[in-house]
Amino acid sequence: RVLFQSFEKYIFYPAQFWRHKNHRNLLYAILKLRDRGIIVNCIFVGSKKNEYDEIIDIIHKYELTKQVGVLGYVSNSQMKYLFKNARAMIMPTFLGPTNIPPTEAMSLGCPVAVSNIYGMPEQLGDAALYFNPNDILSMATVIEDYWIDDELCEKMKKRGLERSEFFSLERFTRDVDRIITKLDLKNEYKKEQLDGLLEFCNTHSRIVIFGAGRYGFVIKKVLDKWNIEFDAFVVSKLERMDCDVNPPIYEFDSLEITDDTGIICSVSGEKQRDIINMIEHRGIKEENYICFDITTLEMMKYKYE
C-alpha cells in the first residue's frame, strides 16, 4: 500500500508517521486546496509509526493517490535530493520546541513553513512561514502561497540560506566554547568562595552562622560535609526564646563575641548590608566575619542538598 509517486513539483514533509507529526491535517489542507481547483502534490518520507495506516487510509478514501507519494524510509542522499528539488518543506508538527528538518531544508535552499508553536519562530526567525497546526485553512493558505508565488519561494530560499549560517558548525563550536568558558569561570568562582570559607573556618576556633533560614541551612550542610562543627545560629531578632534547636539559635545582640569567633553571614541581597551594619555597630573586626552572595549560596545548595 506504499504509494510511490514522482512529481516535477511537490511540497515535502520528512517525518516518521507519529500521530503528533500531524500528517492528517496536512492532507486535509491539500484537500481544501483541491476543492478550490489548486492541485498540490506532496511527498512523505519516514518510518511507519502509530498513524501510518490511518494516513494511508485517508489518502485512498479521498482519492489522493495521484497527489501524494509515500516513500517510506530513504537514504541521506535521497533526502538531500528531495529537499533540493521541493517547492517547499511543510512541517505541521504539534511538538517542539525545535526540529531538525527545517534547518536541513534551509541549508539546502528549500523554502520552509512550520507550526507557529514552542520555540520554532525563535529558531527560524523570518526565514520561514508559519501557520497554526490545528487550523487547516491557515496551513492551506501558506501552502498555496508557496505553490503559486515564485518570487516568494526565491525570497524565502535566500532567507533560509542566510539563516542556516546561524546553525553552522563554526558558530556551534564557538557557542559551545563560550558556554564551557562561562561554566569554568563559575566553577572557579565557586571554588574560590568555598576555599575562602574553609580558610575562614580554620582560622577561628568558634564559628557561628548569622541567619537560620534556608541559606543558613546551606552553610550548615557545607560545614557538615567538611566535618566542621559550629557553635550556634544567630539571628537579628528571636521571636521565641525557648527554642530547642541543636545547634542553638541566639539573638545577635545577646551573643558574646570574642577575638576567636568567626561569623558566617548567610543572608544576601538587600539584607546583607543590614547584617553588616549590625556587626560593625558592635565593633566586630572585618576579619571576624565573612559573607556570601546569593549566587554562590544557590550553587552550594544544589551541590550539598
Side-chain angles (χ1 to χ4, degrees), residues 213-286:
R214 68 187 184 102
Y215 292 131
F217 177 76
V218 171
I219 296 293
K220 178 183 182 302
K221 298 289 283 187
V222 174
L223 298 187
D224 288 345
K225 288 286 183 180
W226 289 339
N227 295 317
I228 294 176
E229 296 183 0
F230 68 101
D231 291 77
F233 289 106
V234 294
V235 293
S236 56
K237 184 176 178 59
L238 189 62
E239 297 295 334
R240 294 179 58 192
M241 301 302 293
D242 60 344
C243 295
D244 183 15
V245 179
N246 185 29
I249 302 176
Y250 297 111
E251 278 195 359
F252 179 63
D253 288 341
S254 66
L255 183 71
E256 180 183 358
I257 305 294
T258 58
D259 289 341
D260 64 344
T261 300
I263 305 171
I264 303 173
C265 299
S266 62
V267 181
S268 297
E270 296 179 359
K271 290 185 178 181
Q272 187 180 88
R273 185 68 256 174
D274 296 335
I275 298 303
I276 293 174
N277 287 338
M278 291 179 61
I279 291 173
E280 292 178 345
H281 182 72
R282 288 195 56 181
I284 297 171
K285 299 175 183 179
E286 187 173 340

Coordinates of all heavy atoms in Angstrom, one line a residue, residues 213-286:
G213 N 17.7 30.7 58.3 CA 16.8 30.3 57.3 C 17.4 29.3 56.3 O 18.3 28.6 56.7
R214 N 16.9 29.3 55.1 CA 17.3 28.2 54.2 C 18.8 28.4 53.7 O 19.5 27.5 53.5 CB 16.4 28.2 52.9 CG 16.5 29.3 52.0 CD 15.4 29.1 50.9 NE 15.4 30.2 49.9 CZ 15.9 30.0 48.7 NH1 16.4 28.9 48.4 NH2 15.9 31.0 47.8
Y215 N 19.3 29.7 53.7 CA 20.7 29.9 53.4 C 21.6 29.5 54.5 O 22.7 29.0 54.3 CB 20.9 31.4 52.9 CG 20.2 31.7 51.6 CD1 19.4 32.8 51.5 CD2 20.4 30.8 50.5 CE1 18.8 33.1 50.3 CE2 19.7 31.1 49.3 CZ 19.0 32.3 49.2 OH 18.3 32.6 48.1
G216 N 21.1 29.7 55.7 CA 21.9 29.3 56.9 C 22.0 27.8 56.9 O 23.0 27.2 57.2
F217 N 20.9 27.1 56.4 CA 20.9 25.6 56.3 C 21.9 25.2 55.3 O 22.6 24.2 55.4 CB 19.5 25.1 56.0 CG 19.4 23.7 55.8 CD1 19.4 22.8 56.9 CD2 19.4 23.1 54.5 CE1 19.4 21.4 56.7 CE2 19.3 21.8 54.3 CZ 19.3 20.9 55.4
V218 N 22.0 25.9 54.2 CA 23.0 25.6 53.2 C 24.4 25.6 53.7 O 25.2 24.7 53.5 CB 22.9 26.5 51.9 CG1 24.1 26.3 51.0 CG2 21.6 26.3 51.2
I219 N 24.7 26.7 54.5 CA 26.1 26.8 55.1 C 26.3 25.6 56.1 O 27.4 25.0 56.1 CB 26.2 28.1 55.9 CG1 26.1 29.3 54.9 CG2 27.5 28.2 56.7 CD1 27.3 29.4 54.0
K220 N 25.3 25.3 56.8 CA 25.4 24.2 57.7 C 25.7 22.9 57.0 O 26.6 22.1 57.4 CB 24.1 24.0 58.5 CG 24.1 22.8 59.5 CD 22.8 22.6 60.2 CE 22.8 21.4 61.1 NZ 23.2 20.1 60.5
K221 N 25.1 22.6 55.8 CA 25.3 21.4 55.1 C 26.8 21.4 54.6 O 27.4 20.4 54.5 CB 24.4 21.3 53.9 CG 22.9 21.2 54.3 CD 22.6 19.9 54.9 CE 22.5 18.8 53.8 NZ 22.0 17.5 54.4
V222 N 27.3 22.6 54.2 CA 28.7 22.7 53.7 C 29.6 22.3 54.8 O 30.5 21.5 54.7 CB 29.0 24.1 53.2 CG1 30.5 24.2 52.8 CG2 28.1 24.4 51.9
L223 N 29.4 22.9 56.0 CA 30.3 22.7 57.1 C 30.2 21.2 57.6 O 31.2 20.6 58.0 CB 29.9 23.6 58.3 CG 30.0 25.1 58.1 CD1 29.8 25.8 59.4 CD2 31.4 25.4 57.5
D224 N 29.0 20.6 57.5 CA 28.8 19.2 57.8 C 29.7 18.3 56.9 O 30.3 17.3 57.3 CB 27.4 18.8 57.7 CG 26.5 19.3 58.9 OD1 27.1 19.8 59.9 OD2 25.3 19.3 58.7
K225 N 29.7 18.7 55.6 CA 30.5 17.9 54.6 C 32.0 18.0 54.9 O 32.7 17.1 54.7 CB 30.2 18.5 53.2 CG 28.9 18.1 52.6 CD 28.8 16.7 52.2 CE 27.5 16.4 51.5 NZ 27.5 14.9 51.1
W226 N 32.4 19.1 55.5 CA 33.8 19.3 55.9 C 34.1 18.8 57.3 O 35.2 19.0 57.8 CB 34.2 20.8 55.7 CG 34.2 21.3 54.3 CD1 34.4 20.5 53.2 CD2 34.2 22.6 53.9 NE1 34.5 21.3 52.1 CE2 34.3 22.6 52.5 CE3 34.0 23.9 54.6 CZ2 34.3 23.8 51.8 CZ3 34.0 25.0 53.8 CH2 34.1 25.0 52.4
N227 N 33.1 18.3 58.0 CA 33.2 17.9 59.4 C 33.7 19.0 60.3 O 34.5 18.9 61.2 CB 34.2 16.7 59.5 CG 33.7 15.4 58.8 OD1 32.5 15.1 58.9 ND2 34.6 14.8 58.0
I228 N 33.2 20.2 60.0 CA 33.5 21.4 60.8 C 32.3 21.7 61.7 O 31.1 21.8 61.2 CB 33.7 22.6 59.9 CG1 35.0 22.4 59.1 CG2 33.8 23.9 60.8 CD1 35.3 23.5 58.1
E229 N 32.5 21.6 63.0 CA 31.4 21.9 64.0 C 31.3 23.4 64.1 O 32.3 24.2 64.1 CB 31.7 21.3 65.3 CG 31.8 19.7 65.2 CD 32.0 19.1 66.6 OE1 32.2 19.9 67.6 OE2 32.0 17.9 66.7
F230 N 30.1 23.9 64.3 CA 29.9 25.3 64.7 C 29.0 25.4 65.9 O 28.3 24.5 66.3 CB 29.2 26.1 63.5 CG 27.8 25.7 63.2 CD1 26.8 26.5 63.6 CD2 27.5 24.5 62.4 CE1 25.5 26.1 63.3 CE2 26.2 24.2 62.1 CZ 25.2 25.0 62.5
D231 N 29.1 26.5 66.6 CA 28.5 26.7 67.9 C 27.0 27.0 67.9 O 26.3 26.5 68.8 CB 29.3 27.8 68.7 CG 30.7 27.3 69.0 OD1 31.6 27.3 68.1 OD2 30.9 26.9 70.2
A232 N 26.6 27.9 66.9 CA 25.2 28.3 67.0 C 24.8 29.0 65.8 O 25.7 29.5 65.0 CB 25.1 29.3 68.2
F233 N 23.5 29.1 65.6 CA 22.9 30.1 64.6 C 22.7 31.4 65.4 O 22.3 31.3 66.6 CB 21.6 29.6 64.1 CG 21.7 28.4 63.2 CD1 21.3 27.1 63.6 CD2 22.1 28.6 61.9 CE1 21.4 26.1 62.7 CE2 22.2 27.5 61.0 CZ 21.8 26.2 61.4
V234 N 22.8 32.5 64.7 CA 22.4 33.8 65.4 C 21.5 34.5 64.4 O 21.6 34.4 63.2 CB 23.6 34.7 65.7 CG1 24.4 34.0 66.8 CG2 24.4 35.0 64.5
V235 N 20.5 35.2 65.0 CA 19.6 36.0 64.2 C 19.4 37.4 64.8 O 19.8 37.6 65.9 CB 18.2 35.3 64.2 CG1 18.2 34.0 63.4 CG2 17.6 35.1 65.6
S236 N 18.9 38.3 63.9 CA 18.8 39.7 64.4 C 17.8 39.8 65.5 O 18.0 40.5 66.5 CB 18.5 40.6 63.3 OG 17.2 40.1 62.6
K237 N 16.7 39.0 65.5 CA 15.7 39.1 66.5 C 15.0 37.7 66.6 O 14.6 37.1 65.6 CB 14.6 40.1 66.2 CG 13.6 40.3 67.3 CD 12.6 41.4 67.0 CE 11.5 41.6 68.0 NZ 12.1 41.8 69.3
L238 N 15.0 37.2 67.8 CA 14.5 35.8 68.0 C 13.1 36.0 68.7 O 13.0 36.5 69.8 CB 15.4 35.0 69.0 CG 15.1 33.6 69.2 CD1 15.1 32.8 67.8 CD2 16.0 32.9 70.1
E239 N 12.1 35.6 68.0 CA 10.7 35.8 68.5 C 10.4 34.9 69.7 O 9.8 35.3 70.6 CB 9.7 35.4 67.3 CG 9.8 36.3 66.1 CD 9.4 37.8 66.5 OE1 8.6 38.0 67.4 OE2 9.9 38.7 65.8
R240 N 10.9 33.6 69.7 CA 10.7 32.7 70.8 C 12.0 32.4 71.4 O 12.9 31.8 70.7 CB 10.0 31.4 70.3 CG 8.6 31.7 69.8 CD 8.0 30.4 69.3 NE 8.0 29.4 70.4 CZ 7.8 28.1 70.2 NH1 7.6 27.6 69.0 NH2 7.8 27.2 71.2
M241 N 12.2 32.7 72.7 CA 13.5 32.4 73.3 C 13.6 31.0 73.9 O 14.6 30.7 74.5 CB 13.7 33.5 74.5 CG 13.6 34.9 74.0 SD 14.9 35.3 72.8 CE 16.4 35.1 73.7
D242 N 12.5 30.2 73.8 CA 12.6 28.9 74.4 C 12.8 27.8 73.3 O 12.4 26.7 73.4 CB 11.3 28.6 75.1 CG 10.0 28.7 74.2 OD1 10.2 29.2 73.1 OD2 9.0 28.2 74.6
C243 N 13.4 28.2 72.2 CA 13.6 27.3 71.1 C 14.6 26.2 71.5 O 15.6 26.5 72.1 CB 14.2 28.0 69.9 SG 13.1 29.2 69.2
D244 N 14.2 25.0 71.2 CA 15.1 23.8 71.5 C 15.7 23.3 70.2 O 15.1 22.4 69.5 CB 14.3 22.7 72.2 CG 15.2 21.5 72.6 OD1 16.4 21.7 72.6 OD2 14.6 20.5 72.9
V245 N 16.8 23.9 69.8 CA 17.4 23.6 68.5 C 18.9 23.2 68.7 O 19.5 23.8 69.6 CB 17.3 24.8 67.5 CG1 18.0 24.5 66.2 CG2 15.9 25.2 67.3
N246 N 19.4 22.3 68.0 CA 20.8 21.9 68.1 C 21.4 22.0 66.7 O 21.0 21.2 65.8 CB 20.9 20.5 68.7 CG 22.4 20.1 68.9 OD1 23.2 21.0 69.1 ND2 22.7 18.9 68.8
P247 N 22.4 22.9 66.5 CA 22.9 23.9 67.4 C 21.9 24.9 67.8 O 20.9 25.1 67.0 CB 24.1 24.5 66.6 CG 24.4 23.6 65.6 CD 23.1 22.9 65.2
P248 N 22.0 25.6 68.9 CA 21.0 26.6 69.4 C 21.0 27.8 68.5 O 21.9 28.1 67.7 CB 21.5 26.9 70.8 CG 23.0 26.7 70.7 CD 23.2 25.5 69.8
I249 N 19.9 28.6 68.7 CA 19.8 29.9 68.0 C 19.8 31.0 69.0 O 19.0 30.9 70.1 CB 18.4 29.9 67.2 CG1 18.4 28.8 66.2 CG2 18.3 31.2 66.5 CD1 17.1 28.7 65.4
Y250 N 20.6 32.0 68.8 CA 20.7 33.1 69.7 C 20.4 34.4 69.0 O 20.6 34.5 67.8 CB 22.1 33.2 70.3 CG 22.5 32.1 71.2 CD1 23.5 31.2 70.8 CD2 21.9 31.8 72.4 CE1 23.9 30.1 71.5 CE2 22.3 30.7 73.2 CZ 23.3 29.9 72.8 OH 23.7 28.8 73.5
E251 N 19.9 35.4 69.8 CA 19.9 36.8 69.2 C 21.3 37.3 69.2 O 22.1 37.1 70.1 CB 19.0 37.7 70.1 CG 17.5 37.5 69.8 CD 16.7 38.7 70.4 OE1 17.3 39.5 71.1 OE2 15.5 38.7 70.2
F252 N 21.5 38.0 68.1 CA 22.9 38.5 67.9 C 23.4 39.4 69.0 O 24.5 39.3 69.4 CB 23.0 39.2 66.5 CG 24.3 39.8 66.2 CD1 25.4 39.0 66.0 CD2 24.5 41.2 66.1 CE1 26.7 39.5 65.7 CE2 25.8 41.7 65.8 CZ 26.8 40.8 65.6
D253 N 22.5 40.3 69.4 CA 22.9 41.3 70.4 C 23.2 40.6 71.8 O 24.0 41.2 72.6 CB 21.8 42.3 70.7 CG 21.7 43.3 69.5 OD1 22.7 43.4 68.7 OD2 20.7 43.9 69.3
S254 N 22.7 39.4 72.0 CA 23.0 38.7 73.3 C 24.1 37.7 73.2 O 24.5 37.2 74.2 CB 21.7 37.9 73.7 OG 21.4 36.9 72.8
L255 N 24.7 37.6 72.0 CA 25.8 36.6 71.8 C 27.1 37.3 72.2 O 27.5 38.4 71.8 CB 25.8 36.2 70.4 CG 26.9 35.1 70.1 CD1 26.4 33.7 70.7 CD2 27.0 34.9 68.6
E256 N 27.9 36.5 73.0 CA 29.2 37.0 73.3 C 30.2 36.7 72.2 O 30.3 35.6 71.7 CB 29.7 36.3 74.6 CG 31.1 36.7 75.0 CD 31.7 35.9 76.2 OE1 30.9 35.1 76.7 OE2 32.8 36.2 76.5
I257 N 30.8 37.8 71.7 CA 31.7 37.7 70.6 C 33.2 37.9 71.1 O 33.5 38.9 71.7 CB 31.4 38.8 69.5 CG1 30.0 38.7 69.1 CG2 32.4 38.6 68.3 CD1 29.6 37.4 68.3
T258 N 34.0 36.9 70.8 CA 35.4 37.1 71.2 C 36.3 37.1 69.9 O 35.8 37.0 68.8 CB 35.9 35.8 72.0 OG1 35.6 34.6 71.2 CG2 35.0 35.7 73.3
D259 N 37.6 37.4 70.2 CA 38.5 37.5 69.0 C 38.6 36.3 68.2 O 39.0 36.3 67.0 CB 39.9 37.9 69.5 CG 40.0 39.4 70.0 OD1 39.0 40.1 69.7 OD2 40.9 39.7 70.8
D260 N 38.4 35.1 68.8 CA 38.5 33.9 68.0 C 37.1 33.4 67.4 O 37.0 32.3 66.9 CB 39.0 32.8 68.9 CG 38.1 32.4 70.1 OD1 37.2 33.2 70.4 OD2 38.3 31.4 70.7
T261 N 36.1 34.3 67.5 CA 34.8 34.0 66.9 C 34.7 34.4 65.4 O 35.1 35.5 65.0 CB 33.7 34.7 67.6 OG1 33.7 34.4 69.0 CG2 32.3 34.4 67.0
G262 N 34.3 33.4 64.6 CA 34.1 33.7 63.2 C 32.6 33.7 62.9 O 31.9 32.7 63.2
I263 N 32.1 34.7 62.2 CA 30.7 34.8 61.9 C 30.5 34.6 60.4 O 31.0 35.4 59.6 CB 30.1 36.2 62.3 CG1 30.4 36.4 63.8 CG2 28.6 36.3 62.0 CD1 30.0 37.9 64.2
I264 N 29.7 33.6 60.0 CA 29.4 33.4 58.6 C 28.1 33.9 58.3 O 27.1 33.5 58.9 CB 29.5 31.9 58.3 CG1 30.8 31.3 58.7 CG2 29.2 31.7 56.8 CD1 30.9 29.8 58.5
C265 N 28.0 35.0 57.5 CA 26.7 35.6 57.2 C 26.1 34.9 56.0 O 26.6 34.9 54.9 CB 26.9 37.1 56.8 SG 27.6 38.0 58.1
S266 N 24.9 34.3 56.2 CA 24.3 33.5 55.2 C 23.1 34.3 54.6 O 22.2 33.7 54.0 CB 23.8 32.2 55.8 OG 22.9 32.4 56.8
V267 N 23.0 35.6 54.9 CA 21.9 36.4 54.4 C 22.5 37.3 53.3 O 23.5 37.9 53.5 CB 21.3 37.2 55.5 CG1 20.1 38.1 54.9 CG2 20.8 36.3 56.6
S268 N 21.8 37.3 52.1 CA 22.4 38.0 51.0 C 21.4 39.1 50.5 O 20.4 39.3 51.1 CB 22.7 37.1 49.8 OG 23.7 36.2 50.2
G269 N 21.8 39.8 49.4 CA 21.0 40.8 48.8 C 20.9 42.0 49.7 O 21.8 42.5 50.3
E270 N 19.7 42.6 49.7 CA 19.5 43.9 50.5 C 19.7 43.7 52.0 O 20.2 44.6 52.7 CB 18.1 44.4 50.3 CG 17.8 44.8 48.8 CD 16.4 45.3 48.6 OE1 15.6 45.3 49.6 OE2 16.0 45.6 47.5
K271 N 19.4 42.5 52.5 CA 19.5 42.2 53.9 C 21.0 42.1 54.3 O 21.3 42.4 55.5 CB 18.8 41.0 54.3 CG 17.3 41.1 54.3 CD 16.6 39.8 54.8 CE 15.1 39.9 54.8 NZ 14.5 38.7 55.3
Q272 N 21.9 41.8 53.4 CA 23.3 41.7 53.8 C 23.9 42.9 54.3 O 24.6 42.9 55.3 CB 24.1 41.2 52.5 CG 25.5 40.8 52.9 CD 26.3 40.4 51.7 OE1 26.9 41.2 51.0 NE2 26.3 39.1 51.4
R273 N 23.5 44.1 53.7 CA 24.0 45.4 54.2 C 23.5 45.6 55.6 O 24.3 46.1 56.5 CB 23.5 46.5 53.3 CG 24.1 47.9 53.6 CD 25.6 47.9 53.3 NE 26.4 47.9 54.5 CZ 27.7 47.8 54.5 NH1 28.3 47.7 53.4 NH2 28.3 47.8 55.7
D274 N 22.3 45.3 55.9 CA 21.8 45.4 57.3 C 22.5 44.6 58.3 O 22.9 45.0 59.4 CB 20.3 45.1 57.4 CG 19.4 46.0 56.5 OD1 19.9 47.2 56.3 OD2 18.3 45.6 56.1
I275 N 22.9 43.4 57.9 CA 23.6 42.5 58.8 C 25.0 43.0 59.1 O 25.5 43.0 60.2 CB 23.7 41.0 58.2 CG1 22.3 40.4 58.0 CG2 24.5 40.1 59.1 CD1 21.5 40.4 59.3
I276 N 25.7 43.5 58.0 CA 27.0 44.0 58.1 C 27.0 45.2 59.1 O 27.9 45.4 59.9 CB 27.6 44.4 56.8 CG1 27.8 43.1 56.0 CG2 28.9 45.1 56.9 CD1 28.3 43.3 54.5
N277 N 26.0 46.1 58.9 CA 25.8 47.2 59.8 C 25.7 46.8 61.2 O 26.3 47.5 62.1 CB 24.6 48.1 59.4 CG 24.9 48.8 58.1 OD1 26.0 49.1 57.7 ND2 23.8 49.2 57.4
M278 N 24.9 45.8 61.5 CA 24.7 45.3 62.9 C 26.1 44.8 63.4 O 26.4 45.1 64.6 CB 23.7 44.2 62.9 CG 22.3 44.6 62.6 SD 21.1 43.2 62.7 CE 21.3 42.7 64.4
I279 N 26.8 44.1 62.6 CA 28.1 43.5 63.0 C 29.1 44.6 63.3 O 29.7 44.7 64.4 CB 28.7 42.5 62.0 CG1 27.8 41.3 61.9 CG2 30.1 42.2 62.3 CD1 28.2 40.4 60.7
E280 N 29.2 45.6 62.4 CA 30.1 46.7 62.6 C 29.7 47.6 63.8 O 30.6 48.2 64.4 CB 30.2 47.5 61.3 CG 30.9 46.7 60.2 CD 30.9 47.5 58.9 OE1 30.2 48.5 58.7 OE2 31.7 47.0 58.0
H281 N 28.4 47.7 64.0 CA 27.9 48.5 65.1 C 28.4 48.0 66.5 O 28.7 48.8 67.4 CB 26.4 48.6 65.1 CG 25.8 49.4 66.2 ND1 25.9 50.8 66.2 CD2 25.2 49.1 67.3 CE1 25.3 51.3 67.3 NE2 24.8 50.3 68.0
R282 N 28.6 46.7 66.5 CA 29.2 46.1 67.8 C 30.7 46.1 67.8 O 31.3 45.6 68.7 CB 28.7 44.6 67.9 CG 27.2 44.5 68.2 CD 26.9 43.1 68.7 NE 27.7 42.7 69.8 CZ 27.5 41.5 70.4 NH1 26.7 40.6 69.9 NH2 28.3 41.1 71.4
G283 N 31.3 46.8 66.8 CA 32.8 46.9 66.8 C 33.5 45.6 66.5 O 34.7 45.5 66.8
I284 N 32.8 44.7 65.8 CA 33.5 43.5 65.4 C 34.4 43.7 64.1 O 34.0 44.4 63.2 CB 32.4 42.4 65.0 CG1 31.6 42.1 66.3 CG2 33.0 41.1 64.5 CD1 30.4 41.2 66.1
K285 N 35.6 43.2 64.2 CA 36.5 43.4 63.1 C 36.2 42.7 61.9 O 35.5 41.7 61.9 CB 37.9 43.0 63.6 CG 38.4 43.7 64.8 CD 39.8 43.1 65.3 CE 40.3 43.8 66.6 NZ 41.5 43.2 67.0
E286 N 36.6 43.3 60.7 CA 36.3 42.7 59.4 C 36.8 41.3 59.3 O 36.1 40.4 58.6 CB 36.9 43.6 58.3 CG 36.5 43.2 56.9 CD 37.0 44.2 55.9 OE1 37.3 45.3 56.3 OE2 37.0 43.8 54.7

